[in-house]
Structures are given as structure tokens and as C-alpha cells.
Amino acid sequence: MWRYNRILSALAALIAAVTLAAQCVIPRPLKPGDRVAVLSPASHTQASREKIAEALEAWGYEAVFYPNTFTHRGTYSADASGRASDFNRALNDPTIRAIIATRGGYGSAHLFDLLDADALRRDPKWIVGFSDISALHAWAIANGVAAVHGPTAGQVAKYGPAGTGRSDRQRRSVEMLDTLLRTGLQPVITLAPDSRNLAGDVTGELRGGNMIVVNDLSQTPWDMLDFQPEDNVILFFEETDEGMHAIDRMLTRLHQAGILEAARGLIFGQFVGCKGDSDFSSAENLISARLREWGYYDDDTASLGQRPIVFDFPVGHGGSCYPLISGGQVHLKADRNGVTLSPAE
Amino acid sequence: MRPGDAIGVVSPATPVAADASESVSLIREWGYRPVVPEGAFGGRLSDGERAGALRRLLCDESIKAVWCTYGGYGCVELLHLLGDELFNSHRVPIIGCSDISLLHARALAAGGNGIHGPNLIWAWRHPQAEGTRSLRRLLGGEAPDIRLAPSPLNRPGSVTAPMVGGNLITLNNLAQTPFDILRTPGAILFMEERGEKPHAVDRMMQRLHLSGTLKQTAGLVFGDFTDCPGAPERIGRRLREWGYHGPVAFGYPAAHGADNIPFVQGAETILNVTENHVEIQQNP
């Protein structure tokens, strides 16, 4: 009998270890005086060096620029090895506590084979940005480290304290990033109800980003959509300038591959400029109609309790980019009064 | 196929105009009997109705082939409405290209087959095109024997393996579904695209590289990349950068370009690429 117990307790320890290992490490929050790397890992940028430096300084940090932050090579800032070299320098510099991309564009996935994953694992630091930068978040999560899906350095300069003519959501996006970096916690986000939402109350690991970028990592070692129901993943997606058919095709894949079914919650952010020949007036309406057709709005489809579905989340292009910790543990609650996303207890 | 055999006609994706129904005259001209369900022309059918029309044709033992009128968009919604039994019993080939690649993927996943070739309306409008003539010969049992002009983007080599494929973006979005024919180990992959931006094509090729999909293939054949400026050159450069191992042929005239030479999905194919010529031969 003692033997049986020992096997059981060994098994329990193993399960605990595996469960713990599955959770992403949260990089430490920033302190005044910390240094922040400003990089262009994908497309080249028109952002202002001075304004970025000023905005980060207003938050109490020192902006550190790299050889390829403001260079041009075709649509990219530099070739893949140049972009990776900047990134690896930042990863290996212990004084750098966050890496913020000037912008997205295209090209982050070219760096995968060139990045120093050991450096990130040894000294986890925040990787901040969105859109194409979602690919780098996927890379960080694959290496067990959470990242910030949030405003780029270009947006911080534009919508930060010195910015003029900014909308309420633009201002809030940047203020929340400041809070997140100082506290290391997911800022609480509350929203009004949306008629397409489905109520639910779940706790799990937030993951996602730009729909096509994340979608096109499937079957690679950096596929953040490769998870099991017991991983308790809450997915979020945003998109820009993809046709309605492209959205429909990707959503159908996520359904047919069992990814939507395995998720504990579904958050749809901004779908900006996603138009085209379709029976639906917007990408969000198309998504909601498909989910209804496939049974995601039927209570009994979710074996682990009702899976909340949330629309018009202020995340994505168009200036609404409230920061989300991709790889972080959060609590998502949707009901007829609205939506609340908060850090997990 | 034999004279008098029936060919079913469907519009499984984008609806086509009623006056395009004249296109079935081509089937009669070839000595076959067209079977045209209601709504194939001028209909605006729901996903369920389109799947139903296709199901009835595939179940009908008198039908020897199903020819799609046109691609466009919409087959992806039919995949989960069509069962394996429709494809593995009579093995009726579905003919078409572009969005129709999805029906080929569905059929291959169930052990069925398909003919990647001109859609009916295109063939009717281009009766003298080599693609149309070669499809007619293929239905009569004569496999096309294809020679392509050499290209500096090609990679020499010679393999014999089943060839599968179709439209890149539609097949790319079958990853991790049961219909993922890009992951057919040991196959020659055929890919074509239309109207996608250079970085969109690059992103999909990156995925096929990073996921190890390209590594599993025996060879690669690239069709038309219509309105995808610079795509073949960029793909060729990437394949060299990644050290792709097998024969590579660019310029197979199929899909959205001036011609549309058919091939049988999943049939053994000899792909022989040298510096001076490209030879693609099937034994369906």
C-alpha cells in the first residue's frame, strides 16, 4: 500500500510540475531608471527618435536605440540577421528590462531561427508591440515567457503624454501600458455589453494577437494555438485590411482544427478595414454568425462551463490597443452588464 | 470515361449567372451527358444546399465525373458537410481549380481523387486552349505529358511521387484539419496563387518551411502566380536560402493564367527537372 501511495504522490508531483511548467514566466516589472530597448524587428519605421525617447523618459525609463532601429532595407528595417542582431543584443543586456517595437509591418517570423532563446529564458524581459510583433510573442510563449500585446513605441510617442489630438481609447491604451510595465499586472479592462457577446466567467491563460500572423504559425514550434482544453487558454484576435473571405477561411480553420473548441474564452478585438464581397456587413458580424452556426452559442457545447465570447474588445489597429499580457493568467467575465478582464486571483 | 457517360455539374463556391448554363454544351460536344441539378446556374444556394447538390451527384452511380463551373469562394464551408463515404466508394473525380482545391483536399483525405484542371465555364470559353484539349484527352484516358520551359528559379532533380496541391491560401488554411493535403509526406506539392501580396505569399511559404512541411515533400511544382508581383522570384530565393532538397519547377501553366493544364490529384508523377528542360508525366 505504501508503494501505491508513493507512486500516487510521485504522479501528483509530476502533474504539478508539468502544470507549473506550462505557465509562462512573468518578467519583472520595471523600476524608474530602467532601460528600454527600442527596436524595429519587422518593417522600417517613420517614428521620431526624439519623441519616443521623451515619452519613455516621461515614464521614468531610458530609451536605448540600436543600429537598425531607424534604418531602411526594402520594406524592412534591415535584413533578417541585422534585425536579429539588435534583438539579441537587447536580450543579452541585463540592464534592458523591456523591448518595445517601433511598429509591426511584416518580417518578425524571419527572426525565429536567429534569436537567442536561451537569453530570454535566462533573463525574461517584456517584449512589447502588436500586429506582426504577435509572432515574437508566440516565440516568447514557446520559450515559456509572457509578453505584452500592446501599443508600439511609435504609438507611445504619438498617443503618450506629449501627444495631441488623441482619442480617449488611444490615450487609455498608452496609459495602461505604463501601468502594466510598472506593476507587471494585467490592467483591469471593463467594457459595455455587446449584443453579440456570450456570457461566461472563466480564468485562464490569455493568448493571441493578429489573426493571420498567429494563424500562419500553425504546425511550427512557435504555434501559440497548439494547446489542450486543460491548458485553459483564452484566445484573442484582431485583424486589419484582410478581406472577409480571408477572415472566414481562418476562422473556419480554427473551428475545423478544434482550436476554438479547445479554448476557454474567445475575445475578438478590432477588425479594421476588413471588407469585401460577403453577406455580412462587418467581419465581427461574420464571425458571430459563423460561431452561432457552429454551435458556440449553445450552452452545452462547452463541457467545462460556458465559454464567454466577447466582441469589440479595444485591441488592435486603429489606435485602440489596450495592453494584454499574452501568456498571462487572467479572469474574463462577460454578462448582460458588460465585460471585465482582470488579473487572475 | 466512355461516350455517353454522365458528368454532373455543380457551382460549389461563388454563384454563377443563369446564362452561363450554355457552358454544358461543351460536355455534349465531347460526347458525354451533362447532369445539371437545380440551382447550378443562376442559383444562390446556401452552404447546405450546395453540399446537398454535390452529395447527390457523388452518390449517383451513373455519374462518372463532377465538373465545377467556377471557383471563387465558398467550398471551405462545405468540407464538414461532406462525409468520407461520398469519396471512397465510387471515387468520382471532381474537376476544377482555385477554390475547388478544397474539394480535392476533402476527397484525398477520404482516399478519393480529383482532377486539378479548368473549371467548366473557363473551358467552354477557351475551347482551343491546350488545357481544355488536354482535359478532354485525360477524360478519354490519355494522361498529359508536360514539358515546361526552363527557369533559372528551378532546382534540378528527378523524382517519382504522387502529386497533390492547388491554391496556396485555401490549402494553407487546412493546417491541422483532417484535410491538410500540404502535409502529404513524400508527395510532389503543386501550388498556385492569385491576387495575394508578396508578403502574404512569403508568410505562407515561411509557415511551410518553419513547420517542416517542405522537408517532407519529394518535389515542388509552382503554377501561375497571377497578380502576385515578384512571388516566384521570392519563393525561388527563399528555397535556396532554406536549402530545399528536391526538384523544383516553376511555370506549370495552371489556375488563373492563360492556360490550365490538368493533372490528377494523388496520381504517380514523374518530375524531371534539368537545366534545359522540365518534364512532368503522370500515370493516373
Side-chain angles (χ1 to χ4, degrees):
Chain A
M1 193 61 193
W2 66 270
R3 236 176 139 159
Y4 185 58
N5 281 340
R6 269 181 61 167
I7 292 168
L8 268 187
S9 62
L11 205 64
L14 187 71
I15 291 166
V18 168
T19 314
L20 277 179
Q23 284 201 1
C24 286
V25 172
I26 305 297
R28 82 154 170 79
L30 272 65
K31 294 191 301 252
D34 274 345
R35 283 152 53 90
V36 174
V38 181
L39 303 176
S40 300
S43 292
H44 64 69
T45 182
Q46 311 283 347
S48 150
R49 181 188 187 109
E50 290 69 33
K51 286 195 175 135
I52 293 173
E54 266 171 44
L56 291 177
E57 200 182 325
W59 287 353
Y61 311 127
E62 182 195 339
V64 182
F65 299 96
Y66 287 78
N68 299 303
T69 304
F70 295 104
T71 50
H72 287 52
R73 190 185 164 104
T75 60
Y76 308 107
S77 61
D79 61 12
S81 65
R83 287 178 278 144
S85 144
D86 285 3
F87 210 95
N88 287 335
R89 271 175 65 181
L91 287 172
N92 281 289
D93 181 343
T95 71
I96 297 287
R97 300 321 313 159
I99 296 172
I100 180 163
T102 59
R103 67 169 290 205
Y106 176 68
S108 296
H110 300 154
L111 309 190
F112 286 161
D113 288 331
L114 306 170
L115 293 179
D116 189 346
D118 286 339
L120 180 73
R121 283 195 292 256
R122 209 165 43 233
D123 181 15
K125 47 191 78 176
W126 297 104
I127 297 172
V128 186
F130 76 106
S131 193
D132 195 61
I133 307 304
S134 310
L136 294 171
H137 299 162
W139 175 80
I141 290 173
N143 286 297
V145 178
V148 179
H149 184 281
T152 59
Q155 289 181 316
V156 169
K158 228 160 120 190
Y159 309 139
T164 50
R166 48 204 180 127
S167 72
D168 190 49
R169 278 188 164 187
Q170 289 167 339
R171 180 182 57 79
R172 295 276 297 139
S173 300
V174 173
E175 283 173 3
M176 280 190 192
L177 176 61
D178 177 23
T179 309
L180 189 157
L181 293 175
R182 270 189 291 111
T183 60
L185 294 171
Q186 172 63 52
V188 177
I189 297 170
T190 54
L191 304 172
D194 184 295
S195 60
R196 297 159 299 195
N197 287 356
L198 178 68
D201 187 336
V202 291
T203 299
E205 185 182 299
L206 201 51
R207 280 189 197 184
N210 181 263
M211 200 174 194
I212 201 164
V213 168
V214 169
N215 186 60
D216 272 343
L217 296 177
S218 67
Q219 298 166 328
T220 73
W222 305 280
D223 181 10
M224 63 158 91
L225 304 181
D226 183 10
F227 57 83
Q228 300 301 315
E230 54 272 26
D231 294 332
N232 293 328
V233 169
I234 299 169
L235 286 178
F236 69 94
F237 295 109
E238 63 87 20
E239 191 50 89
T240 183
D241 288 331
E242 288 295 333
M244 296 285 256
H245 291 164
I247 305 282
D248 198 14
R249 232 184 241 130
M250 290 190 275
L251 190 74
T252 306
R253 181 186 90 81
L254 297 176
H255 167 59
Q256 291 183 344
I259 293 163
L260 299 180
E261 174 77 44
R264 295 297 303 277
L266 299 172
I267 297 174
F268 296 94
Q270 304 299 300
F271 287 76
V272 180
C274 297
K275 295 190 280 263
D277 170 34
S278 169
D279 298 337
F280 302 98
S281 55
S282 69
E284 290 91 333
N285 286 345
L286 177 149
I287 293 168
S288 141
R290 288 286 185 223
L291 294 180
R292 198 169 291 282
E293 187 186 321
W294 297 329
Y296 288 89
Y297 284 87
D298 306 340
D299 296 8
D300 55 357
T301 53
S303 54
L304 299 164
Q306 188 156 288
R307 178 192 300 108
I309 301 175
V310 174
F311 280 92
D312 197 23
F313 204 86
V315 61
H317 290 74
S320 294
C321 202
Y322 287 21
L324 295 175
I325 301 183
S326 205
Q329 297 290 321
V330 298
H331 177 205
L332 174 67
K333 186 170 173 236
D335 57 27
R336 79 175 93 86
N337 300 316
V339 177
T340 307
L341 181 91
S342 51
E345 293 293 305
Chain B
M1 288 186 46
R2 279 191 296 260
D5 276 350
I7 295 183
V9 175
V10 282
S11 299
T14 296
V16 300
D19 58 9
S21 64
E22 281 177 48
S23 58
V24 302
S25 62
L26 183 72
I27 297 175
R28 278 194 211 98
E29 218 173 282
W30 288 3
Y32 303 116
R33 184 168 56 86
V35 176
V36 186
E38 206 181 318
F41 294 95
R44 222 185 143 74
L45 307 182
S46 68
D47 296 345
E49 288 166 336
R50 294 190 326 276
L54 194 52
R55 198 180 296 123
R56 280 188 295 278
L57 292 173
L58 293 170
C59 285
D60 183 340
E61 293 200 29
S62 71
I63 305 273
K64 301 300 175 203
V66 171
W67 200 348
C68 299
T69 59
Y70 186 74
Y73 183 78
C75 288
V76 72
E77 305 310 334
L78 309 190
L79 296 180
H80 59 293
L81 302 175
L82 302 168
D84 280 359
E85 71 287 352
L86 296 173
F87 303 99
N88 55 20
S89 52
H90 312 136
R91 293 172 54 86
V92 176
I94 295 175
I95 308 165
C97 67
S98 190
D99 203 52
I100 310 305
S101 315
L102 290 166
L103 298 179
H104 293 158
R106 181 66 195 86
L108 288 169
N113 57 16
I115 296 175
H116 187 283
N119 293 315
L120 175 60
I121 293 174
W122 189 93
W124 168 61
R125 288 196 183 131
H126 301 86
Q128 294 310 316
E130 188 47 40
T132 305
R133 290 144 57 119
S134 298
L135 177 65
R136 183 179 188 173
R137 290 194 297 270
L138 179 63
L139 293 177
E142 190 190 327
D145 182 1
I146 298 144
R147 318 262 150 165
L148 305 180
S151 160
L153 303 173
N154 288 352
R155 186 178 185 280
S158 182
V159 288
T160 303
M163 182 152 92
V164 298
N167 181 258
L168 178 55
I169 197 165
T170 63
L171 296 181
N172 184 55
N173 273 297
L174 296 179
Q176 289 169 294
T177 73
F179 322 117
D180 187 4
I181 55 166
L182 294 176
R183 296 278 266 203
T184 308
I188 298 168
L189 278 193
F190 168 82
M191 289 173 265
E192 59 83 10
E193 193 49 272
R194 176 196 192 154
E196 289 295 329
K197 292 182 190 116
H199 74 266
V201 174
D202 189 58
R203 182 159 46 215
M204 293 187 271
M205 293 306 297
Q206 285 282 344
R207 186 187 82 76
L208 297 180
H209 164 60
L210 294 172
S211 61
T213 305
L214 295 179
K215 224 173 234 162
Q216 298 183 355
T217 62
L220 300 173
V221 174
F222 293 94
D224 295 323
F225 279 76
T226 311
D227 300 329
C228 300
E233 292 73 17
R234 191 151 163 175
I235 295 170
R237 203 165 63 230
R238 288 284 186 221
L239 293 174
R240 273 196 301 280
E241 191 182 309
W242 299 329
Y244 182 72
H245 61 279
V248 179
F250 280 86
Y252 186 107
H256 301 102
D259 213 335
N260 210 333
I261 309 295
F263 68 88
V264 178
Q265 294 276 13
E268 282 287 295
T269 305
I270 299 166
L271 169 63
N272 186 16
V273 183
T274 70
E275 262 175 45
N276 307 316
H277 82 289
V278 176
E279 189 189 1
I280 300 170
Q281 208 186 345
Q282 281 204 315
N283 305 301

